[in-house]
Amino acid sequence: MAQAELKALWQALEQATTLLQKNLHTSFLDAVIEAGEDLQLGIRHEDGLPDAATTAKLKALFAPINLRDYTPEELRQALQLVLVKAITVDGIQPNQQVTPDAMASLASFMVTTFMPHFSSAATIVDPTAGTGNLLFAVMNQLHTATGSTLHGVGIDNDEQLLGVASMSAALQGLDVELLHQDALANLPVTAATLVVADLPVGFYPVDERAKQFATAAKSGHSYAHHLLIEQSVRMLAPGGLGLFFVPSDLFQTEEAAGLTAWLTQAALFQGLLNLPKGFFTSATAQKALLVVQKPGGSAKQVKQVLLGEFPDLNDRAAFAQFVDSVHSWAAQNLA
């Protein structure tokens, strides 16, 4: 796909979203949902809206776009660019913002490293799915890399964000089940091949529910990201892989003792890789990719935990060297 054609799709979606937001007097995110559904299914009207002038402009924007000319990944990329604008327009809080594509690529690389024979019947879960961008990017990338057709499960307690995810999944033709619930409320999945999540950082307010987890704080509120890691491992099938974007100081806080104690008993701690500092606005915001596996199946505790830092993705030589070093590590620890 030429860059110009991808740009044409993104601009059509962005302009349609802006038109609908003004004409329907709605949020930018709700207008994104409407624009995506109108592009796929045709322009719909409710209570006389959108009006005739807006409808004519939408038809002109969508007329040159043939969705069959785009791959699912190209459709996701165009939608992501529109969603980035929503961050500014709607003032979306950091925990709900779009996960950068580079992070999805790093997660997919770890999957192919730890699971070179990825199953074509795999289920991938994101317990904090939001708009689905991370989940869908990993699904598309793994399909390209392995040929596997994946079943995705996205969980979130924000109905509006799941509305965007539903529209996006339909537009891309992905096999995805979306669950509107608190991911810690009950166990929605019990045999996932893979869990991937950009975990929200903060305290979980439901103390009674938190007490059901070994990673709960001894007093006061518990960290949501600690609980979500534990819940995610519960969702995995034996040998399943968990990939979590977490604060880079995950194991350095006062509350880390409970997480560490649980991790050594209930999961296989396989890696912790810091993301490039350039990804983040400050050192305190820096994240790392935590790699764990559920005991069982063919999984085993690696002799040497994979530690280090992803290089700047723009430094091709450094990234090639990093990939080679991971392959060498895998040959020694995963063979």
Side-chain angles (χ1 to χ4, degrees):
M1 169 68 61
Q3 195 67 26
E5 292 172 292
L6 187 59
K7 183 178 179 181
L9 174 60
W10 157 58
Q11 289 180 330
L13 281 168
E14 182 184 43
Q15 291 171 30
T17 300
T18 301
L19 284 169
L20 286 165
Q21 183 197 20
K22 292 178 180 178
N23 195 235
L24 303 181
H25 305 290
T26 186
S27 69
F28 197 84
L29 269 182
D30 283 338
V32 171
I33 298 171
E34 188 76 20
E37 291 177 347
D38 285 353
L39 176 59
Q40 183 184 16
L41 303 173
I43 301 168
R44 297 163 305 152
H45 297 83
E46 185 174 344
D47 297 329
L49 296 174
D51 60 28
T54 302
T55 299
K57 291 176 182 177
L58 291 171
K59 287 181 177 179
L61 283 171
F62 293 154
I65 305 297
N66 186 345
L67 293 177
R68 289 174 295 192
D69 292 339
Y70 298 87
T71 67
E73 180 61 6
E74 288 165 345
L75 292 166
R76 186 201 61 78
Q77 289 174 3
L79 277 172
Q80 184 203 22
L81 292 172
V82 181
L83 291 173
V84 168
K85 182 176 179 179
I87 295 171
T88 302
V89 177
D90 285 352
I92 296 173
Q93 59 180 298
N95 275 341
Q96 296 179 322
Q97 291 179 11
V98 177
T99 301
D101 279 359
M103 291 167 65
S105 298
L106 297 175
S108 299
F109 174 56
M110 286 295 107
V111 176
T112 56
T113 298
F114 280 85
M115 294 180 159
H117 307 295
F118 200 68
S119 169
S120 60
T123 295
I124 173 173
V125 180
D126 184 344
T128 57
T131 62
N133 190 64
L134 174 62
L135 174 63
F136 303 159
V138 173
M139 289 178 69
N140 288 337
Q141 290 169 11
L142 289 177
H143 175 71
T144 299
T146 68
S148 300
T149 299
L150 308 173
H151 173 64
V153 179
I155 307 164
D156 207 282
N157 58 8
D158 189 308
E159 189 173 11
Q160 184 185 42
L161 296 181
L162 279 186
V164 178
S166 177
M167 175 273 294
S168 179
L171 202 62
Q172 296 175 65
L174 298 176
D175 175 18
V176 176
E177 179 183 3
L178 297 173
L179 304 177
H180 179 218
Q181 68 165 76
D182 180 346
L184 296 170
N186 62 285
L187 199 61
V189 182
T190 56
T193 312
L194 171 67
V195 174
V196 59
D198 184 4
L199 296 178
V201 177
F203 291 108
Y204 183 66
V206 189
D207 293 336
E208 286 302 311
R209 186 171 293 153
K211 291 177 182 177
Q212 302 170 16
F213 296 85
T215 52
K218 293 182 180 179
S219 63
H221 291 329
S222 303
Y223 271 139
H225 50 295
H226 290 187
L227 304 177
L228 284 163
I229 292 170
E230 182 178 348
Q231 179 77 323
S232 295
V233 171
R234 292 179 181 180
M235 285 192 273
L236 288 169
L241 186 67
L243 300 170
F244 308 103
F245 292 102
V246 297
S248 58
D249 64 351
L250 179 70
F251 295 111
Q252 299 167 17
T253 65
E254 293 181 6
E255 296 83 0
L259 175 65
T260 303
W262 166 81
L263 188 60
T264 57
Q265 295 294 321
L268 307 176
F269 174 35
Q270 309 290 50
L272 185 68
L273 295 161
N274 285 326
L275 300 179
K277 293 181 176 64
F279 274 22
F280 308 98
T281 55
S282 66
T284 56
Q286 187 177 11
K287 290 192 174 186
L289 179 59
L290 172 66
V291 184
V292 302
Q293 278 187 286
K294 188 167 185 174
S298 60
K300 61 180 182 179
Q301 179 61 58
V302 297
K303 302 172 187 175
Q304 179 184 358
V305 174
L306 182 61
L307 300 173
E309 184 167 335
F310 288 112
D312 186 335
L313 299 187
N314 294 321
D315 188 338
R316 294 187 178 183
F319 193 75
Q321 184 177 7
F322 169 79
V323 170
D324 288 342
S325 67
V326 172
H327 287 159
S328 298
W329 173 90
Q332 297 172 19
N333 289 272
L334 298 178

